[in-house]
Amino acid sequence: MTTRWLTPEEQRAWRSYLAASWLLEDTVDRQLQQEAGMPHLYYSVLANLSDAPDRRMRMTDLAETLKITRSRLTYVVTRLEKDGTLRREGCPTDRRGSMAVLTDAGMELLERTAPGHVETVRAAVFDHLTPEQVNQLEAICTRITDVLQGDEESPGCDGLPWRRRSSAE
Amino acid sequence: MTTRWLTPEEQRAWRSYLAASWLLEDTVDRQLQQEAGMPHLYYSVLANLSDAPDRRMRMTDLAETLKITRSRLTYVVTRLEKDGTLRREGCPTDRRGSMAVLTDAGMELLERTAPGHVETVRAAVFDHLTPEQVNQLEAICTRITDVLQGDEESPGCDGLPWRRRSSAE
DNA sequence: AGTTATTGTTTAAAAGTTGAACCAGGCTGA
DNA sequence: TCAGCCTGGTTCAACTTTTAAACAATAACT
């Protein structure tokens, strides 16, 4: 079968997307590094904890929502623990498990830096989009996320074989 | 001034965006690593060269379009040169400069791997979006890119002070 | 000529990433 | 119950990437 190349519109969209996403990630990373002393991923760990019930999460769940390996998460959490923004606690119901718990210091850091972070995101993105565009963006990104997570079971689809193999294979 | 938090719509959009962009970058990286033996950034260097007139570009221009530091680009190009996919040539008009030139091997690699890459992008993104959504995506991302690049000179704007200082300061 | 700015590389240190190995605790079934 | 397998999480060592500062060469301006 011959390759189905991207149409000119698709090409433009893809290029725009790449430029925007790299630039944006860079901007956010830089701002958080500046004001919170940590890159985006680390901040996201704390942010996720602050949303979770009781401000705590199982390592595996955290890794899953952040879409990173457990190994990588261990590395990140170790540093955050050293920083004092979170601590580990054993899991009461499963003695193998451990939970990452946001400390008061971590919560304070979030409260202190969230405004700047939000302001960055606003200045970079939302202040320049119409309400319709905000909704469009959400619809598009949700679709992509669903596809990549395999919440997609259309039988005709070949699947994305290069996705991280979960355990089989 | 009190913080202008994100509206619920904006929050949803932002979260969707983050999930999609991380997942997508991961997917593309993994696929290219698999089939082209290099991560996305490296591939982009080659792709940019292949589009450029005479398949060559100044290092600084390349760094600029890829939005990375020259230092980082040097590292990347050194590896690609070792791989044989590109070579360096001195710049005729500016004896300080050097140009990255795509080799035949590099071109072959692109031709060999482009179909798989396109297929990945299609399967992850474009096969699931309507033509309107494709245009919406482009409009949104172009807007963001323009803003972050400062093609934006509205005088009332505070600017984004954490952008990489180009040379002043 | 004498600054000053750019271009691109080098270097050393720090940071991040990976995958395999590993331990401990759960789970299942004879 | 206990052997065998699965899971959660960490450790380790190798490797890759990233950063920032310093540098050499050349351009450009005054």
Side-chain angles (χ1 to χ4, degrees):
Chain A
M1 169 185 140
T2 74
T3 303
R4 296 177 302 138
W5 297 104
L6 298 185
T7 66
E9 289 79 22
E10 289 168 337
Q11 276 190 46
R12 283 203 308 277
W14 181 241
R15 281 170 204 256
S16 287
Y17 167 76
L18 285 182
S21 86
W22 287 352
L23 226 38
L24 196 45
E25 182 62 17
D26 200 57
T27 301
V28 171
D29 250 353
R30 206 168 290 280
Q31 187 266 330
L32 284 175
Q33 191 67 60
Q34 192 77 189
E35 305 199 12
M38 60 182 65
H40 196 184
L41 175 61
Y42 292 65
Y43 187 88
S44 295
V45 168
L46 301 184
N48 270 287
L49 288 180
S50 80
D51 279 343
D54 223 4
R55 290 180 188 172
R56 70 188 54 219
M57 271 202 218
R58 287 293 293 270
M59 292 295 282
T60 295
D61 295 342
L62 208 39
E64 195 134 331
T65 64
L66 293 169
K67 290 121 180 56
I68 62 178
T69 61
R70 279 175 321 213
S71 175
R72 194 173 164 191
L73 179 61
T74 294
Y75 178 83
V76 169
V77 165
T78 301
R79 168 177 151 186
L80 288 175
E81 192 171 27
K82 225 166 277 168
D83 291 352
T85 53
L86 61 73
R87 69 173 175 282
R88 282 183 235 242
E89 279 184 19
C91 176
T93 67
D94 182 343
R95 269 188 303 180
R96 293 168 300 182
S98 69
M99 319 207 63
V101 188
L102 193 64
T103 62
D104 290 347
M107 197 61 201
E108 274 162 34
L109 182 143
L110 280 181
E111 281 165 356
R112 178 164 54 73
T113 57
H117 177 55
V118 170
E119 190 48 44
T120 302
V121 174
R122 274 210 163 289
V125 181
F126 294 108
D127 280 349
H128 311 280
L129 300 184
T130 67
E132 294 80 46
Q133 286 183 310
V134 173
N135 291 328
Q136 291 165 4
L137 180 62
E138 196 214 331
I140 292 168
C141 291
T142 301
R143 192 81 184 86
I144 294 174
T145 305
D146 288 351
V147 170
L148 291 181
Q149 257 162 354
D151 304 0
E152 189 67 0
E153 290 306 337
S154 38
C157 180
D158 284 341
L160 297 174
W162 48 79
R163 290 263 303 299
R164 192 195 313 287
R165 44 254 176 250
S166 28
S167 64
E169 175 183 323
Chain B
M1 172 185 140
T2 74
T3 304
R4 296 177 302 136
W5 298 103
L6 298 185
T7 67
E9 288 80 22
E10 289 169 338
Q11 276 190 44
R12 283 203 308 277
W14 181 241
R15 281 170 203 257
S16 288
Y17 167 77
L18 285 183
S21 87
W22 287 352
L23 226 38
L24 195 46
E25 182 62 17
D26 199 57
T27 301
V28 170
D29 251 354
R30 206 168 290 280
Q31 186 267 332
L32 283 175
Q33 190 68 59
Q34 192 78 186
E35 304 198 14
M38 60 182 66
H40 195 186
L41 175 62
Y42 293 65
Y43 187 87
S44 295
V45 168
L46 300 183
N48 271 285
L49 288 180
S50 80
D51 279 344
D54 224 3
R55 290 181 187 170
R56 69 188 56 220
M57 271 202 218
R58 287 292 293 270
M59 293 295 281
T60 294
D61 296 342
L62 207 41
E64 194 133 334
T65 64
L66 293 169
K67 289 124 181 57
I68 61 178
T69 61
R70 277 167 316 186
S71 176
R72 194 173 163 191
L73 180 61
T74 294
Y75 176 83
V76 169
V77 164
T78 301
R79 168 177 150 186
L80 289 174
E81 191 171 29
K82 224 166 277 167
D83 291 352
T85 53
L86 62 72
R87 68 174 176 283
R88 282 182 235 241
E89 278 184 20
C91 177
T93 66
D94 182 343
R95 273 189 301 181
R96 291 169 302 180
S98 71
M99 318 207 65
V101 188
L102 193 64
T103 62
D104 290 346
M107 196 63 200
E108 274 161 34
L109 182 142
L110 279 180
E111 282 164 356
R112 179 164 54 74
T113 58
H117 177 57
V118 171
E119 190 48 46
T120 303
V121 174
R122 272 207 164 292
V125 180
F126 294 108
D127 280 349
H128 312 281
L129 300 183
T130 66
E132 294 80 46
Q133 286 182 310
V134 174
N135 291 330
Q136 292 165 4
L137 181 62
E138 196 215 331
I140 292 168
C141 291
T142 301
R143 191 80 184 88
I144 293 174
T145 306
D146 288 351
V147 170
L148 291 181
Q149 258 163 352
D151 302 2
E152 188 70 357
E153 289 306 337
S154 39
C157 180
D158 283 341
L160 298 172
W162 47 81
R163 291 261 304 297
R164 192 192 317 286
R165 45 257 179 244
S166 27
S167 62
E169 172 184 327

